[in-house]
Amino acid sequence: MKLTKEEQEILDGKQGETKAKIMRTLVEFGDLFGAEEFVDVTTSGHLVTSFGIGLLKPVYRIMDEIIDAGLKTPYPFTMDPRPIDYENVKCGLLNKLIFSKIMYSKQKLYEEQLSKIGLKDKNAFTCTCYLPEVGNTPKYGDILSWAESSAVVYANSVLGARCNRNSGMLDIFGALLGKVPKFGLLTDEGRRANWVIEVKTSSLPEAQILGSAIGMKVMEEVPFVKGLDKFLGNEINDEVVSYLKDFGAATASNGAVGLYHIENLTPEAKKYGEKIINKNAKTYVIDDEELERVYKSYPVMWKNKNAKPSLCFIGCPHLTYNQLIQWTHKIEEELKKNDRKKVKVRTIMTSAPDVVLKFSKTEEYQKLKSFGVNISSICPLMYTNNPIAGGKPIITNSNKLRTYSKSRYYKDDDIVKIICGGK
Ligand code: F3S
């Protein structure tokens, strides 16, 4: 990489040994991916490593070194969701012991360390930092140092910001230094589409299955999706935000997509039209049959495949305010049909702390609580990712949670029937 005079001085240790180590790491990262220069980070960071797992000892050591060196991020940063919430997601004594003494034994220490280097506030823990209620919403053209895959793909695609799919720790290094190596999705070339996806379904596809199908097909490449604007329209409204959030998370987890374009809808597709598609782009046609094929291909990882579900997670990525309202109405309707007052399967909905705060002032919030549904801001994956919780028959409408855990995926309409005691 070619460095400016100031960057070279940092690398040479003129601004301290810790900053030099951070710079060296980022230079090596850039060299590895063919970057020729750095670009300045223009807005707040968002960090993926939100869990104080005891085994991550080097992380706490590095954090101490950063604090001792007096380094802080120029902008306050947000974090992925916390792994535990004993108040709203109750668990047995053994599970609690495993969580607090073994798995997440360093949570408190880690959060104290984060506060010292620029953490926004106690409500900063969510993977949907870009929602207006949370406020870490990049503008078109902003350069980011983020790593959470669902947030990166949203920021790139829906907001038109620029960010690579970084890893944990590289996100904090870029945020601290205020610079990231320029390659991949930070370049005009890297943002061009090399796949054309033709959506030919009879109705709006389930976001989580469409995203999964595209992710598994294109992997880390950039798809240009045609035919979806017919259902979603041409404006990014609340409904579209929710849809694209879930769609993107599925592309990013079932594949490794960091950016997608939706014809006539997302900013770069609107600005450049088909000019953003590479000449030799491949084509993938998705119709009702193809979606059903993908849905049916998901393996059931439960020990007893016919077990009755004991827990349901809705909200991975965290639900928007609009989704919380809509889910309340869906559950209300289904409970009425089944002549029930409460859900039959223990259900937890997850959303950002600031979104939950807004939702808690509504009539729907009271209703949802009265249905026996709990609302939390944890990361369901962190909760399920242990031998005790992970062995239970958990259901979800999240394709990301399905991919990274043993949870079983159901479509929205099926999941509401299951949790409300229907057939
Ligand atoms: Fe968010 Fe955790 Fe799912 S970070 S996307 S709730 S795995």
Side-chain angles (χ1 to χ4, degrees):
M1 285 180 71
K2 274 188 231 119
L3 303 186
T4 62
K5 188 166 170 273
E6 190 211 354
E7 289 160 359
Q8 187 61 51
E9 282 177 0
I10 296 174
L11 187 65
D12 294 341
K14 297 231 165 81
Q15 293 190 25
E17 198 191 330
T18 305
K19 223 169 167 182
K21 284 188 203 167
I22 293 175
M23 177 58 98
R24 196 179 319 139
T25 309
L26 290 176
V27 168
E28 285 180 11
F29 176 44
D31 280 342
L32 206 61
F33 284 91
E36 289 182 355
E37 57 180 356
F38 277 110
V39 271
D40 289 342
V41 170
T42 55
T43 188
S44 297
H46 178 80
L47 311 190
V48 73
T49 315
S50 58
F51 36 86
I53 292 184
L55 286 174
L56 290 179
K57 287 184 189 134
V59 170
Y60 315 118
R61 225 172 34 232
I62 293 169
M63 293 292 284
D64 273 339
E65 188 175 336
I66 291 169
I67 294 163
D68 290 345
L71 301 181
K72 260 190 131 175
T73 56
Y75 308 100
F77 59 83
T78 48
M79 300 287 303
D80 258 7
R82 291 187 172 102
I84 35 184
D85 169 9
Y86 294 133
E87 204 185 319
N88 299 300
V89 188
K90 301 216 171 3
C91 52
L93 198 64
L94 185 58
N95 217 341
K96 207 168 175 178
L97 263 175
I98 290 181
F99 278 153
S100 50
K101 299 279 176 231
I102 303 171
M103 286 194 68
Y104 304 119
S105 55
K106 297 284 186 232
Q107 192 66 29
K108 191 166 171 281
L109 165 89
Y110 183 47
E111 288 190 24
E112 283 165 6
Q113 290 179 320
L114 291 166
S115 298
K116 290 182 186 154
I117 66 163
L119 175 67
K120 188 172 164 246
D121 54 33
K122 67 178 179 23
N123 278 4
F125 292 83
T126 175
C127 45
T128 54
C129 61
Y130 45 79
L131 292 177
E133 295 86 353
V134 188
N136 186 358
T137 319
K139 297 183 302 306
Y140 186 91
D142 265 336
I143 304 291
L144 316 179
S145 182
W146 294 10
E148 162 54 43
S149 65
S150 67
V152 167
V153 73
Y154 186 93
N156 272 320
S157 314
V158 185
L159 303 174
R162 294 191 170 207
C163 185
N164 277 315
R165 281 178 56 116
N166 303 300
S167 70
M169 295 314 283
L170 284 177
D171 53 7
I172 183 68
F173 287 174
L176 280 165
L177 204 64
K179 288 175 189 296
V180 278
K182 187 177 176 187
F183 67 90
L185 298 174
L186 300 193
T187 67
D188 290 346
E189 189 51 36
R191 298 179 75 82
R192 295 181 58 78
N194 24 33
W195 275 92
V196 173
I197 313 294
E198 293 181 7
V199 175
K200 295 189 170 168
T201 51
S202 54
S203 56
L204 176 68
E206 194 94 4
Q208 301 267 3
I209 304 178
L210 180 67
S212 156
I214 295 175
M216 288 196 270
K217 179 65 80 179
V218 314
M219 296 312 290
E220 77 284 7
E221 297 194 285
V222 180
F224 184 95
V225 185
K226 293 183 175 184
L228 201 52
D229 55 321
K230 185 169 94 191
F231 304 112
L232 291 178
N234 307 124
E235 297 304 327
I236 309 272
N237 55 30
D238 289 348
E239 297 268 326
V240 173
V241 164
S242 303
Y243 188 95
L244 294 182
K245 163 184 75 77
D246 291 340
F247 164 80
T251 66
S253 57
N254 285 224
V257 174
L259 164 69
Y260 57 81
H261 303 294
I262 311 283
E263 188 174 38
N264 299 322
L265 182 60
T266 54
E268 279 151 283
K270 268 187 159 177
K271 188 168 174 189
Y272 303 109
E274 293 198 10
K275 279 192 224 127
I276 205 165
I277 304 172
N278 282 336
K279 279 215 174 71
N280 55 354
K282 292 151 274 186
T283 303
Y284 176 33
V285 178
I286 299 183
D287 54 14
D288 296 335
E289 255 178 27
E290 174 63 357
L291 280 186
E292 206 47 30
R293 182 196 66 76
V294 170
Y295 178 50
K296 294 234 168 83
S297 73
Y298 300 149
V300 179
M301 309 285 282
W302 296 352
K303 234 187 207 161
N304 172 7
K305 298 199 181 350
N306 300 314
K308 286 209 170 112
S310 63
L311 179 60
C312 170
F313 273 116
I314 297 174
C316 165
H318 279 174
L319 297 170
T320 62
Y321 173 78
N322 226 32
Q323 285 178 312
L324 282 166
I325 300 278
Q326 283 172 351
W327 271 105
T328 309
H329 294 161
K330 268 187 192 201
I331 293 174
E332 183 176 29
E333 219 173 278
E334 195 62 28
L335 285 175
K336 249 187 220 153
K337 270 195 217 159
N338 296 313
D339 204 20
R340 295 182 64 94
K341 296 255 176 297
K342 285 188 183 284
V343 290
K344 197 173 171 193
V345 178
R346 183 180 169 219
T347 299
I348 293 156
M349 293 201 174
T350 49
S351 184
D354 288 314
V355 176
V356 175
L357 190 67
K358 181 174 167 190
F359 181 61
S360 69
K361 295 173 184 143
T362 64
E363 197 185 305
E364 280 83 359
Y365 172 82
Q366 297 305 336
K367 276 189 189 167
L368 202 57
K369 297 289 275 184
S370 76
F371 300 155
V373 173
N374 276 350
I375 305 160
S376 170
S377 294
I378 61 162
C379 168
L381 178 59
M382 291 297 115
Y383 179 84
T384 48
N385 223 350
N386 71 83
I388 294 185
K392 294 197 172 133
I394 298 173
I395 56 171
T396 182
N397 69 336
S398 162
N399 225 324
K400 178 168 179 177
L401 189 57
R402 173 195 75 79
T403 307
Y404 296 146
S405 74
K406 290 185 180 157
S407 306
R408 185 170 181 172
Y409 172 83
Y410 281 100
K411 297 175 189 171
D412 286 2
D413 286 348
D414 293 333
I415 227 161
V416 75
K417 281 186 192 136
I418 298 170
I419 62 174
C420 295
K423 293 243 163 82

Short mmCIF file of all heavy atoms in Angstrom, two decimals, residues 277-302:
data_model
loop_
_atom_site.label_atom_id
_atom_site.label_comp_id
_atom_site.label_asym_id
_atom_site.label_seq_id
_atom_site.Cartn_x
_atom_site.Cartn_y
_atom_site.Cartn_z
N ILE A 277 -24.38 -3.17 -14.31
CA ILE A 277 -24.23 -4.63 -14.48
C ILE A 277 -23.05 -4.91 -15.41
O ILE A 277 -22.96 -4.32 -16.50
CB ILE A 277 -25.51 -5.24 -15.09
CG1 ILE A 277 -26.74 -4.89 -14.23
CG2 ILE A 277 -25.37 -6.75 -15.24
CD1 ILE A 277 -28.07 -5.29 -14.87
N ASN A 278 -22.17 -5.80 -15.01
CA ASN A 278 -21.04 -6.19 -15.87
C ASN A 278 -21.55 -6.92 -17.12
O ASN A 278 -22.56 -7.63 -17.06
CB ASN A 278 -20.07 -7.09 -15.11
CG ASN A 278 -19.19 -6.29 -14.17
OD1 ASN A 278 -18.97 -5.09 -14.38
ND2 ASN A 278 -18.71 -6.94 -13.12
N LYS A 279 -20.81 -6.78 -18.19
CA LYS A 279 -21.23 -7.38 -19.47
C LYS A 279 -21.40 -8.90 -19.40
O LYS A 279 -22.30 -9.47 -19.98
CB LYS A 279 -20.20 -7.04 -20.56
CG LYS A 279 -20.40 -5.65 -21.11
CD LYS A 279 -20.07 -5.58 -22.62
CE LYS A 279 -20.41 -4.22 -23.15
NZ LYS A 279 -19.49 -3.16 -22.65
N ASN A 280 -20.45 -9.54 -18.68
CA ASN A 280 -20.49 -11.02 -18.64
C ASN A 280 -21.29 -11.54 -17.44
O ASN A 280 -21.08 -12.66 -16.99
CB ASN A 280 -19.06 -11.57 -18.60
CG ASN A 280 -18.28 -10.96 -17.44
OD1 ASN A 280 -18.79 -10.05 -16.77
ND2 ASN A 280 -17.08 -11.44 -17.20
N ALA A 281 -22.21 -10.74 -16.91
CA ALA A 281 -22.98 -11.15 -15.72
C ALA A 281 -23.78 -12.42 -15.99
O ALA A 281 -24.29 -12.62 -17.09
CB ALA A 281 -23.92 -10.02 -15.31
N LYS A 282 -23.84 -13.27 -14.95
CA LYS A 282 -24.62 -14.52 -15.08
C LYS A 282 -26.07 -14.25 -14.69
O LYS A 282 -26.35 -13.25 -14.02
CB LYS A 282 -24.02 -15.58 -14.15
CG LYS A 282 -22.64 -16.04 -14.60
CD LYS A 282 -21.78 -16.50 -13.44
CE LYS A 282 -21.05 -15.33 -12.81
NZ LYS A 282 -20.10 -15.63 -11.79
N THR A 283 -26.97 -15.15 -15.05
CA THR A 283 -28.39 -14.95 -14.75
C THR A 283 -28.93 -16.09 -13.89
O THR A 283 -28.56 -17.24 -14.08
CB THR A 283 -29.20 -14.89 -16.07
OG1 THR A 283 -28.66 -13.84 -16.86
CG2 THR A 283 -30.67 -14.60 -15.82
N TYR A 284 -29.79 -15.74 -12.96
CA TYR A 284 -30.46 -16.75 -12.11
C TYR A 284 -31.94 -16.37 -12.07
O TYR A 284 -32.29 -15.26 -11.68
CB TYR A 284 -29.83 -16.70 -10.72
CG TYR A 284 -30.44 -17.60 -9.65
CD1 TYR A 284 -30.99 -18.85 -9.96
CD2 TYR A 284 -30.44 -17.20 -8.31
CE1 TYR A 284 -31.51 -19.66 -8.96
CE2 TYR A 284 -30.96 -18.01 -7.31
CZ TYR A 284 -31.50 -19.24 -7.63
OH TYR A 284 -32.02 -20.04 -6.66
N VAL A 285 -32.78 -17.29 -12.52
CA VAL A 285 -34.23 -17.02 -12.55
C VAL A 285 -34.87 -17.65 -11.31
O VAL A 285 -34.62 -18.82 -11.01
CB VAL A 285 -34.86 -17.61 -13.84
CG1 VAL A 285 -36.37 -17.37 -13.85
CG2 VAL A 285 -34.21 -16.99 -15.07
N ILE A 286 -35.68 -16.86 -10.62
CA ILE A 286 -36.33 -17.39 -9.42
C ILE A 286 -37.84 -17.31 -9.59
O ILE A 286 -38.41 -16.22 -9.73
CB ILE A 286 -35.91 -16.59 -8.16
CG1 ILE A 286 -34.39 -16.71 -7.96
CG2 ILE A 286 -36.64 -17.10 -6.92
CD1 ILE A 286 -33.85 -16.05 -6.74
N ASP A 287 -38.48 -18.47 -9.60
CA ASP A 287 -39.94 -18.50 -9.66
C ASP A 287 -40.46 -19.21 -8.40
O ASP A 287 -39.67 -19.57 -7.50
CB ASP A 287 -40.43 -19.17 -10.95
CG ASP A 287 -39.82 -20.56 -11.13
OD1 ASP A 287 -39.26 -21.09 -10.16
OD2 ASP A 287 -39.90 -21.09 -12.24
N ASP A 288 -41.77 -19.42 -8.32
CA ASP A 288 -42.35 -20.04 -7.12
C ASP A 288 -41.73 -21.41 -6.84
O ASP A 288 -41.44 -21.76 -5.71
CB ASP A 288 -43.88 -20.19 -7.29
CG ASP A 288 -44.56 -18.83 -7.40
OD1 ASP A 288 -44.00 -17.84 -6.89
OD2 ASP A 288 -45.65 -18.75 -7.98
N GLU A 289 -41.53 -22.16 -7.92
CA GLU A 289 -40.97 -23.52 -7.78
C GLU A 289 -39.56 -23.50 -7.20
O GLU A 289 -39.22 -24.31 -6.34
CB GLU A 289 -40.88 -24.15 -9.16
CG GLU A 289 -41.94 -25.19 -9.39
CD GLU A 289 -41.85 -25.75 -10.80
OE1 GLU A 289 -40.76 -25.76 -11.39
OE2 GLU A 289 -42.91 -26.15 -11.30
N GLU A 290 -38.77 -22.57 -7.69
CA GLU A 290 -37.37 -22.49 -7.23
C GLU A 290 -37.34 -22.11 -5.73
O GLU A 290 -36.55 -22.66 -4.96
CB GLU A 290 -36.61 -21.45 -8.08
CG GLU A 290 -35.19 -21.15 -7.63
CD GLU A 290 -34.23 -22.35 -7.71
OE1 GLU A 290 -34.66 -23.47 -8.07
OE2 GLU A 290 -33.06 -22.16 -7.35
N LEU A 291 -38.23 -21.20 -5.34
CA LEU A 291 -38.26 -20.81 -3.92
C LEU A 291 -38.65 -22.01 -3.05
O LEU A 291 -38.08 -22.23 -1.98
CB LEU A 291 -39.26 -19.68 -3.69
CG LEU A 291 -38.79 -18.27 -4.05
CD1 LEU A 291 -39.84 -17.26 -3.64
CD2 LEU A 291 -37.45 -17.93 -3.40
N GLU A 292 -39.60 -22.78 -3.51
CA GLU A 292 -40.06 -23.95 -2.76
C GLU A 292 -38.94 -25.00 -2.68
O GLU A 292 -38.73 -25.63 -1.65
CB GLU A 292 -41.31 -24.52 -3.46
CG GLU A 292 -42.27 -25.30 -2.59
CD GLU A 292 -42.65 -24.65 -1.26
OE1 GLU A 292 -42.68 -23.41 -1.15
OE2 GLU A 292 -42.94 -25.42 -0.32
N ARG A 293 -38.19 -25.13 -3.78
CA ARG A 293 -37.08 -26.08 -3.79
C ARG A 293 -36.04 -25.70 -2.72
O ARG A 293 -35.58 -26.52 -1.95
CB ARG A 293 -36.42 -26.10 -5.19
CG ARG A 293 -35.29 -27.11 -5.31
CD ARG A 293 -34.39 -26.87 -6.52
NE ARG A 293 -33.63 -25.64 -6.49
CZ ARG A 293 -32.54 -25.43 -5.76
NH1 ARG A 293 -32.07 -26.38 -4.98
NH2 ARG A 293 -31.91 -24.27 -5.81
N VAL A 294 -35.74 -24.39 -2.68
CA VAL A 294 -34.75 -23.90 -1.70
C VAL A 294 -35.27 -24.13 -0.28
O VAL A 294 -34.57 -24.66 0.59
CB VAL A 294 -34.44 -22.41 -1.96
CG1 VAL A 294 -33.62 -21.81 -0.83
CG2 VAL A 294 -33.70 -22.24 -3.28
N TYR A 295 -36.53 -23.79 -0.05
CA TYR A 295 -37.14 -23.93 1.28
C TYR A 295 -37.08 -25.39 1.75
O TYR A 295 -36.72 -25.70 2.88
CB TYR A 295 -38.59 -23.43 1.20
CG TYR A 295 -39.38 -23.56 2.47
CD1 TYR A 295 -38.88 -23.10 3.69
CD2 TYR A 295 -40.65 -24.14 2.47
CE1 TYR A 295 -39.61 -23.22 4.86
CE2 TYR A 295 -41.39 -24.27 3.63
CZ TYR A 295 -40.87 -23.80 4.82
OH TYR A 295 -41.58 -23.92 5.98
N LYS A 296 -37.40 -26.28 0.85
CA LYS A 296 -37.43 -27.71 1.20
C LYS A 296 -36.04 -28.30 1.39
O LYS A 296 -35.89 -29.38 1.97
CB LYS A 296 -38.15 -28.50 0.08
CG LYS A 296 -39.62 -28.15 -0.05
CD LYS A 296 -40.48 -29.40 0.03
CE LYS A 296 -41.96 -29.11 0.21
NZ LYS A 296 -42.64 -28.82 -1.05
N SER A 297 -35.02 -27.58 0.91
CA SER A 297 -33.66 -28.13 1.02
C SER A 297 -33.04 -27.90 2.40
O SER A 297 -31.98 -28.43 2.71
CB SER A 297 -32.75 -27.49 -0.05
OG SER A 297 -32.47 -26.15 0.31
N TYR A 298 -33.70 -27.11 3.25
CA TYR A 298 -33.11 -26.83 4.56
C TYR A 298 -33.15 -28.08 5.44
O TYR A 298 -34.22 -28.64 5.67
CB TYR A 298 -33.86 -25.71 5.29
CG TYR A 298 -33.89 -24.38 4.54
CD1 TYR A 298 -34.97 -23.51 4.68
CD2 TYR A 298 -32.84 -23.99 3.71
CE1 TYR A 298 -35.01 -22.30 4.00
CE2 TYR A 298 -32.88 -22.78 3.03
CZ TYR A 298 -33.97 -21.95 3.18
OH TYR A 298 -34.01 -20.76 2.51
N PRO A 299 -32.02 -28.50 5.96
CA PRO A 299 -32.03 -29.70 6.80
C PRO A 299 -32.64 -29.41 8.18
O PRO A 299 -32.52 -28.29 8.67
CB PRO A 299 -30.55 -30.05 6.94
CG PRO A 299 -29.83 -28.76 6.71
CD PRO A 299 -30.67 -27.94 5.81
N VAL A 300 -33.30 -30.42 8.77
CA VAL A 300 -33.80 -30.26 10.15
C VAL A 300 -32.73 -30.86 11.06
O VAL A 300 -32.41 -32.05 10.95
CB VAL A 300 -35.15 -30.99 10.34
CG1 VAL A 300 -35.64 -30.84 11.77
CG2 VAL A 300 -36.17 -30.45 9.36
N MET A 301 -32.16 -30.02 11.92
CA MET A 301 -31.00 -30.45 12.71
C MET A 301 -31.37 -30.98 14.10
O MET A 301 -30.51 -31.27 14.90
CB MET A 301 -30.03 -29.27 12.87
CG MET A 301 -29.67 -28.57 11.59
SD MET A 301 -28.51 -29.52 10.60
CE MET A 301 -27.00 -29.17 11.46
N TRP A 302 -32.66 -31.01 14.40
CA TRP A 302 -33.07 -31.48 15.73
C TRP A 302 -32.79 -32.98 15.86
O TRP A 302 -32.91 -33.72 14.87
CB TRP A 302 -34.57 -31.28 15.95
CG TRP A 302 -35.02 -29.87 15.96
CD1 TRP A 302 -34.23 -28.76 15.94
CD2 TRP A 302 -36.38 -29.41 15.97
NE1 TRP A 302 -35.01 -27.64 15.94
CE2 TRP A 302 -36.34 -28.01 15.96
CE3 TRP A 302 -37.62 -30.04 16.00
CZ2 TRP A 302 -37.49 -27.23 15.98
CZ3 TRP A 302 -38.77 -29.28 16.02
CH2 TRP A 302 -38.70 -27.88 16.01
#
